[in-house]
Amino acid sequence: LALAAGLAAPAVAFAAEAALTRPGQLTVTAVTGELNVRTGDAVKPAKAEERVRVDSRLATGRRSLATLTFSNGAILELGPDSEVEVEELLQAPFTTALKPAEWKAEPGVSRTRLRVIRGEARVTVKRLLTARGSAFVIVTPAGAASVEEGALRAQVRMTEVGIGLCAVELTQGSATFLPEGGAAQALATGRRTQWSVEIDPVARRTRVAELK
């Protein structure tokens, strides 16, 4: 019985870590031009060193760039005229004497979900503790990319009538992409994958096709 309890303990601990409830932190580290943060109905400009709440929308101006840092070591870079929503950012408590720049992997289990609404977003992710429940997902109208480690760029260009183009490119590391209505596929490093998107709001259906 003691042996069985000992073997079961790690599984219980991992399950508890996967059920994250505490929010992580997201901090603006650099802004060139304009960065606005929308939380609910309130919109305000953001500057370096400010923290951003989860469930906020981040939007840059036409000639603007912004960089934000997550408490799990990941970095988000927004291009001009871009908008991203922070849908989820949860992280287990951790302790480390190292600075974020020295981390080879995230210091504690975390779960992050970003939605790219328009423009371009690039994420750089430290090696995640995926075996313990960590995940970093970037959602686009064409589907969702899950990054385990490395750097990925996502671009979204959609019209008001729901027709547009999405592209993802893994510049280094490991990631998969799950298109709407399709099967997950590993992303090849250095290969830009493009998808046409047609959203039917009446039928509540999204048609996605990969462009070869």
Side-chain angles (χ1 to χ4, degrees), residues 32-36 59-66 78-83 118-120 157:
T32 300
E34 179 184 6
L35 172 65
N36 289 319
T60 56
R62 286 190 175 183
R63 294 180 175 86
S64 304
L65 301 170
L78 296 179
D81 197 20
S82 300
E83 186 173 3
R118 58 184 171 88
E120 179 176 331
R157 299 285 184 269

Side-chain angles (χ1 to χ4, degrees), residues 4 7 17 42 58 74 102 117 166-167 173 175 185 193 207:
L7 293 174
E17 286 183 327
L58 315 170
E102 300 173 313
I117 299 168
C166 297
Q185 56 184 267
T193 306
R207 294 189 181 94

Side-chain angles (χ1 to χ4, degrees), residues 25 68-76 89 91 94 99-108 110 112 123-128 136 150:
Q25 295 179 3
L68 299 97
T69 301
F70 296 81
S71 51
N72 60 5
I75 296 173
L76 168 65
L89 175 55
Q91 187 172 25
F94 66 89
K99 297 179 180 180
E102 300 173 313
W103 295 349
K104 301 301 182 182
E106 64 171 343
S110 67
T112 309
V123 296
T124 303
V125 180
K126 303 280 187 178
R127 187 172 70 252
L128 297 181
F136 198 109

